[in-house]
Amino acid sequence: MINLEFYTYKTFTENPNALTFESSGKIYDEITGLVEVADQDTKKLWQDFIKCSVIYSSTRSQWLLLSSEERAAVDRKRTRQHDEVIKALTKVAHRFEKQDLPTDWYNEISINPVQARKRFGDFACYVSYVYSVNAR
């Protein structure tokens, strides 16, 4: 049975640990500005993160539409995709550190250790959103 509950952005932001569009936008702007001055290896790592984000967000966006059985069937794949998002963004942060570029944005995403995983996913979905609306 399909979940017919209606969700809004407001519903999402009512979670005190959610990484909002506003926060995600600031982080995204900071990262993209830094990637512009970074080396080619960093640019490649950022592109890898974007690809991981698009793949993960596709699965995550379907989650609330799936039955319990369907969720169980794709849960490992979704978890693996989420792990790839975190790993890819962590590589970007480490590369920034090697170039003495700021990584405060990384701390902003992972500020709450209990919710960090979800916030990485929130940021990946935001990045995917930016790419989706620009592909029109």
Side-chain angles (χ1 to χ4, degrees):
M1 183 71 155
I2 293 178
N3 181 350
L4 293 179
E5 184 173 347
F6 295 101
Y7 296 93
T8 66
Y9 179 67
K10 185 176 184 284
T11 306
F12 168 74
T13 60
E14 287 171 356
N15 180 328
N17 296 309
L19 187 62
T20 65
F21 267 28
E22 295 78 16
S23 294
S24 293
K26 288 177 185 174
I27 293 167
Y28 180 81
D29 289 347
E30 181 177 355
I31 293 172
T32 56
L34 293 168
V35 168
E36 286 181 4
V37 300
D39 64 16
Q40 288 302 313
D41 290 339
T42 306
K43 289 177 169 91
K44 169 76 171 84
L45 291 173
W46 177 244
Q47 185 175 32
D48 291 345
F49 169 73
I50 294 167
K51 289 178 182 178
C52 289
S53 295
V54 170
I55 291 166
Y56 168 71
S57 70
S58 176
T59 303
R60 180 168 160 180
S61 66
Q62 297 172 46
W63 195 252
L64 295 175
L65 302 174
L66 301 176
S67 68
S68 297
E69 297 79 20
E70 291 169 322
R71 285 182 184 181
V74 298
D75 193 40
R76 283 188 187 163
K77 177 179 88 168
R78 182 191 55 81
T79 298
R80 201 169 40 253
Q81 291 169 343
H82 199 163
D83 292 344
E84 289 301 314
V85 161
I86 295 168
K87 186 177 1 174
L89 193 55
T90 301
K91 286 181 181 180
V92 171
H94 288 161
R95 192 73 192 156
F96 277 14
E97 286 175 343
K98 287 182 180 180
Q99 296 172 76
D100 292 323
L101 295 172
T103 58
D104 297 348
W105 55 267
Y106 188 86
N107 297 332
E108 175 69 21
I109 295 171
S110 58
I111 197 164
N112 178 341
V114 175
Q115 295 294 320
R117 184 172 179 83
K118 289 181 181 181
R119 290 170 61 88
F120 276 103
D122 295 347
F123 185 66
C125 288
Y126 175 83
V127 170
S128 179
Y129 162 78
V130 169
Y131 274 76
S132 296
V133 296
N134 278 284
R136 57 194 289 270

